[in-house]
Amino acid sequence: MTTSHFDFGARLIEVQTNLGVSSSELARRVGVARQQIGQWRAAKDARVSTVCRVCEGMDITYQEFFEAAG
């Protein structure tokens, strides 16, 4: 049996890059310090509330966030 692990930070970086949203801009949109975005980008896991904030800040759906990049 194999399991896969979703890497939140790696996906956050990928989505930010694809959408052209800088860490400073995302931080402004979600109301956190830019350093917090850096911590999220380094994290393998995230709370559901963090994923919600990120998706809202980048104006994407949860499905769009979790879809594999094509």
Side-chain angles (χ1 to χ4, degrees), residues 29-69:
R29 291 180 187 182
V30 299
V32 300
R34 186 188 52 76
Q35 292 82 359
Q36 182 64 54
I37 302 300
Q39 290 175 0
W40 290 347
R41 290 170 60 116
K44 299 287 183 198
D45 299 311
R47 293 181 175 170
V48 172
S49 61
T50 300
V51 176
C52 292
R53 291 175 79 181
V54 165
C55 289
E56 289 171 5
M58 291 194 286
D59 196 29
I60 60 173
T61 66
Y62 308 121
Q63 181 177 349
E64 289 170 319
F65 185 82
F66 288 106
E67 285 176 344

Side-chain angles (χ1 to χ4, degrees), residues 12-23 26 41 58:
L12 175 57
I13 292 167
E14 183 177 29
V15 172
Q16 279 185 265
T17 300
N18 290 344
L19 296 177
V21 177
S22 69
S23 292
L26 181 57
R41 290 170 60 116
M58 291 194 286

